[in-house]
Amino acid sequence: MQWRGGNESNDVEEGSSRGGGRGMLFGGGALGLIGVVIYLFTGINPSQLFNGGSGNNSQQINTVPGGGTESENKKFARVIFQGTTVVWDSLFRTMGQTYTHPVLHLYTDAVDAEGCGYTTSATGPFYCPADQKVYLDLSFFDELEQKFSAPGEAAWAYVIAHEVGHHIQNLLGVSAKMDQARQSMSETAYNKLSVKLELQADFYAGVWAHYENLSHHNNIVIERADIDSALNAAHQIGDDRLQQKYQGRVSPDSFTHGTSAQRMYWFRKGYDTGDIRQGDTFANNELDDQ
Ligand SMILES: [Zn+2]
């Protein structure tokens, strides 16, 4: 993947939170308690991934992600983020709309997100609709390789493009519909909707890759091997695979992000078509049938 000639986004800020904050609210699965939705990259909290294993499972990975320097990885994130902005600026213009730029908020260990509360990096990357920011601890790039077996810069880019995909949903009103639907649904029913939302974010990530491949926006060049690397990431973080790997069993009712096959399918569909009208993962109108 080539990206070094690209401009770095100016829509980037940095800031971390020290101390406990409101962390007690965030026990496993308790995210919904505060009534603010944040959109994650996977359905499994990466901090749980060492649980259930044996041996030195409390070890922390403190190395610089991907073996690069911290500043290199920051630069990478800023360039990719700018790449998504250029593509979505253009696509929104095509739709006769204006793309409100999201902000990329880089942090280390923990952050007090304006609209989504105190969150630790164990949660993984997420998008907060209330403040329209993508929150990313760059150490997640390392976790992708170490814990999720998804190495490569294209896998990192996929993470960023997926979270930006949630921003697209926010701008297009999908997130608001989801939040509304959530009020009157069982957890199982909501999980099903969540899967559709997450698959659509994967689709949008694929759409972004399509236009990078086509036009090398912001001097980013995505090659065939990069698509394979992104698809591998999509495979590795499928709900079924993660549950099998870390819980030893698969329970479809608790899927929130989709299976490996679904995540690969929708990323690839976005990549192949580049047509945002084909990203209707909600085709059965579940959102309108509430
Ligand atoms: Zn997501």
Side-chain angles (χ1 to χ4, degrees):
M1 184 168 183
Q2 298 173 40
W3 56 272
R4 285 172 199 283
N7 294 321
E8 296 180 37
S9 170
N10 290 320
D11 303 315
V12 181
E13 60 183 28
E14 292 181 38
S16 305
S17 177
R18 307 285 169 208
R22 280 165 278 146
M24 295 308 288
L25 278 175
F26 289 86
L31 287 172
L33 280 181
I34 56 166
V36 178
V37 178
I38 61 178
Y39 296 108
L40 310 172
F41 184 60
T42 72
I44 288 195
N45 184 328
S47 73
Q48 298 170 343
L49 301 190
F50 281 136
N51 296 344
S54 55
N56 299 324
N57 56 14
S58 64
Q59 80 183 60
Q60 289 288 320
I61 296 169
N62 289 323
T63 53
V64 175
T69 64
E70 192 188 356
S71 66
E72 275 284 282
N73 289 325
K74 271 184 190 166
K75 189 182 279 188
F76 173 84
R78 297 178 85 116
V79 169
I80 298 303
F81 200 69
Q82 180 62 17
T84 65
T85 296
V86 174
V87 167
W88 287 110
D89 261 342
S90 157
L91 287 173
F92 269 62
R93 221 175 295 126
T94 310
M95 294 188 288
Q97 297 185 40
T98 304
Y99 181 55
T100 307
H101 294 188
V103 167
L104 175 63
H105 185 107
L106 299 174
Y107 72 98
T108 307
D109 299 331
V111 65
D112 206 347
E114 275 168 45
C116 290
Y118 179 86
T119 308
T120 71
S121 52
T123 303
F126 65 95
Y127 172 74
C128 176
D131 58 16
Q132 305 199 351
K133 293 179 183 176
V134 171
Y135 289 87
L136 175 66
D137 181 333
L138 291 169
S139 67
F140 187 75
F141 290 166
D142 206 29
E143 293 188 353
L144 266 182
E145 182 168 347
Q146 304 283 339
K147 297 184 186 175
F148 293 102
S149 310
E153 289 175 340
W156 306 353
Y158 163 47
V159 174
I160 293 171
H162 171 96
E163 295 305 335
V164 169
H166 286 309
H167 178 64
I168 305 304
Q169 294 172 317
N170 193 13
L171 295 182
L172 297 180
V174 181
S175 317
K177 271 187 148 182
M178 276 288 288
D179 292 350
Q180 206 178 6
R182 182 188 199 123
Q183 317 286 333
S184 56
M185 296 180 99
S186 70
E187 192 180 337
T188 304
Y190 183 79
N191 285 347
K192 279 188 176 167
L193 269 188
S194 170
V195 166
K196 291 164 187 285
L197 190 85
E198 293 299 333
L199 293 175
Q200 192 175 56
D202 284 338
F203 173 83
Y204 289 147
V207 167
W208 168 72
H210 172 92
Y211 287 102
E212 288 297 4
N213 180 274
L214 200 68
S215 307
H216 304 164
H217 293 284
N218 202 30
N219 290 316
I220 294 168
V221 179
I222 294 182
E223 287 146 358
R224 190 180 181 84
D226 298 321
I227 295 304
D228 291 342
S229 167
L231 284 169
N232 173 59
H235 171 71
Q236 298 293 350
I237 58 171
D239 286 330
D240 51 343
R241 180 166 178 84
L242 289 179
Q243 287 187 357
Q244 186 64 52
K245 196 168 168 187
Y246 296 105
Q247 295 167 8
R249 64 194 158 77
V250 174
S251 37
D253 278 355
S254 65
F255 287 175
T256 56
H257 282 66
T259 63
S260 296
Q262 288 174 317
R263 299 200 73 164
M264 292 171 76
Y265 173 85
W266 284 102
F267 176 86
R268 180 178 278 288
K269 188 171 184 187
Y271 175 73
D272 285 344
T273 67
D275 179 1
I276 59 174
R277 290 167 304 183
Q278 297 200 38
D280 188 8
T281 55
F282 298 89
N284 296 326
N285 296 322
E286 275 90 341
L287 269 183
D288 299 323
D289 288 341
Q290 298 317 309

